[in-house]
């Protein structure tokens, strides 16, 4: 597993991203005086809704990515190939986060 340390760090970075988004979503709701749970109105023009959705999307996408990444380590996929895929996925998640939180026509 030592060969996969860079992939493991990337997976941990994805987990950390989900935790940081949870904190950001919760603090945004607190500042807005909103209760925990779904944000209403469920409208892309609502900044609080977009923050909540980007957090939920991050959490929902975590398991379907981490499990195949771990299986790839177990079957012996090349460490450099797997690391490139993990970090590419992380980069795409960050771009998605930035575009979706920004909102507007770019997010649509």
């Amino acid at each position: 597993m030592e060969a996969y340390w860079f992939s493991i760090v990337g997976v941990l970075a994805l987990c950390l991203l989900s935790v940081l988004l949870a904190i950001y979503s919760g603090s945004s709701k607190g500042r807005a005086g909103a209760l925990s749970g779904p944000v209403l109105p469920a409208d892309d023009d609502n900044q609080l809704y977009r923050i909540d959705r980007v957090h939920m999307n991050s959490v929902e996408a975590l398991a379907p990515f981490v499990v195949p990444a771990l299986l790839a380590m177990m079957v012996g996929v090349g460490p450099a190939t797997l690391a490139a895929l993990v970090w590419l996925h992380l980069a795409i998640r960050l771009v998605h986060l930035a575009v979706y939180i920004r909102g507007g026509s770019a997010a649509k």
Side-chain angles (χ1 to χ4, degrees):
M1 285 300 228
E2 285 182 36
Y4 294 105
W5 72 270
F6 201 54
S7 297
I8 293 169
V9 169
V11 167
L12 292 175
L14 281 168
C15 294
L16 179 62
L17 177 64
S18 292
V19 170
L20 292 174
L21 285 171
I23 293 168
Y24 181 53
S25 177
S27 65
S28 297
K29 287 178 185 178
R31 283 192 305 275
L35 298 174
S36 64
V39 175
L40 297 174
D43 181 14
D44 282 332
D45 292 329
N46 181 352
Q47 176 75 12
L48 198 56
Y49 173 75
R50 288 195 316 271
I51 293 169
D52 191 50
R53 281 307 312 152
V54 81
H55 163 245
M56 293 307 297
N57 186 267
S58 174
V59 171
E60 292 163 356
L62 194 57
F65 181 78
V66 171
V67 171
L70 292 175
L71 289 173
M73 289 179 209
M74 293 164 76
V75 299
V77 171
T81 302
L82 185 59
L85 291 172
V86 167
W87 286 94
L88 177 65
H89 179 76
L90 179 61
I92 291 169
R93 296 296 316 165
L94 290 171
V95 169
H96 169 262
L97 181 152
V99 169
Y100 197 72
I101 286 181
R102 182 170 175 237
S105 60
K108 295 178 181 176

